[in-house]
Amino acid sequence: MHTVAVLALEQVIPFDLSTPIEVFSRTRLPDGRPGYQVRVCAEREEVDAGAFTLRAPRNLEGLRDADTIIVPGISNPTAPITPAVRDALRSAANDGTRIASICTGTFPLAATGLLDGLRGTTHWSVAGLLATLYPDVDVDPDVLYVDNGQFLTSAGAAAGMDLCLHMIRRDYGSAVAAHAARLSVMPLEREGGQAQFIVHDHTPAPQGSELEALLTWLRGNLTRDLTLADIAAQSGTSTRTLIRRFRDQTGTTPLQWLHRARIRQAQHLLETTDHSVERIGDQVGFGSPTTFRDRFKRTTGVSPQTYRRTFS
């Protein structure tokens, strides 16, 4: 039987801890046998879980013979891991154990160095922090999970369920995974990534920066067919200087910033109005409905219609 060890670190997030326990414990093979044995392990017997104190039945030795180790999220992602935890995870990795993280559990996993040179994800709200603290990890904030083979990472909350179902499908096939999904009242595959869940007013706009006035102007002129030259003229700089300032202060280009601002405004309109998709595309400055649909799906991972069904 496949053994899953769930590692409860200090300040573990209870939802992230319970997700793999419930999903894997409920998994049944076609003949009715359980597909997994689940154990909870921790460095110390008692673990701070915020609203309550958890008593873990197994210590770090319980990771040694596990087939899969899950690292749930922690409330303080910058908290350092202890040498004992780091060594236990590295030792397990050297033995070929599959290791997966849920939400901010990617931070302690990254702290071991096991994700260096690999693609990974975490909750979108701290993806930038993950990239800053661990520059050797290729952080993708727009996906629900990343499977690198031995090492897997997932985004926040329900994305942990997506990851668990994905691992069940890897281990036992689609039929077993689909049954586990039904028990969890979850689709086996959700359309799109976590980009669709990012709040629409989260456009980078550093207050007090030399770009602040220009970004305010851009937000007020989303419907105009603006070129890079138009934006440079408004800012009173050359296009080369404009591009350099944008990259330094927003991490993107002027036109990419403009497209994302338009998509976020479209998200807001899809959530709060019953306007047609065609009308919303026009309202946010896209020249044709086809261009709007293509850009919206590339940015959020889902179509405008799917987004509206999900969030309106």
Side-chain angles (χ1 to χ4, degrees), residues 49-60:
F52 58 89
T53 299
L54 169 73
R55 294 182 65 88
R58 305 286 290 269
N59 59 24
L60 295 180

Side-chain angles (χ1 to χ4, degrees), residues 63-140:
L63 306 179
R64 190 179 297 275
D65 61 343
D67 299 292
T68 296
I69 296 172
I70 307 290
V71 185
I74 51 177
S75 60
N76 179 12
T78 63
I81 61 172
T82 66
V85 169
R86 181 197 62 216
D87 293 345
L89 290 174
R90 286 179 176 175
S91 177
N94 288 335
D95 291 339
T97 304
R98 181 173 64 184
I99 304 177
S101 64
I102 296 175
C103 194
T104 54
T106 303
F107 283 79
L109 181 55
T112 66
L114 295 173
L115 295 180
D116 287 359
L118 299 177
R119 186 162 154 258
T121 193
T122 187
H123 193 285
W124 63 266
S125 66
V126 289
L129 178 61
L130 180 67
T132 299
L133 293 179
Y134 303 103
D136 291 330
V137 180
D138 179 13
V139 179
D140 187 343

Side-chain angles (χ1 to χ4, degrees), residues 127-171:
L129 178 61
L130 180 67
T132 299
L133 293 179
Y134 303 103
D136 291 330
V137 180
D138 179 13
V139 179
D140 187 343
D142 295 332
V143 295
L144 295 175
Y145 59 83
V146 174
D147 182 349
N148 291 296
Q150 184 181 6
F151 305 112
L152 303 91
T153 56
S154 73
M161 299 183 74
D162 294 292
L163 178 62
C164 291
L165 293 171
H166 171 71
M167 288 190 283
I168 294 170
R169 182 169 50 191
R170 269 184 47 176
D171 296 337

Side-chain angles (χ1 to χ4, degrees), residues 224-242:
R224 292 181 55 186
D225 184 17
L226 295 172
T227 65
L228 186 61
D230 294 330
I231 301 172
Q234 176 65 28
S235 68
T237 64
S238 67
T239 56
R240 180 175 297 180
T241 298
L242 177 69

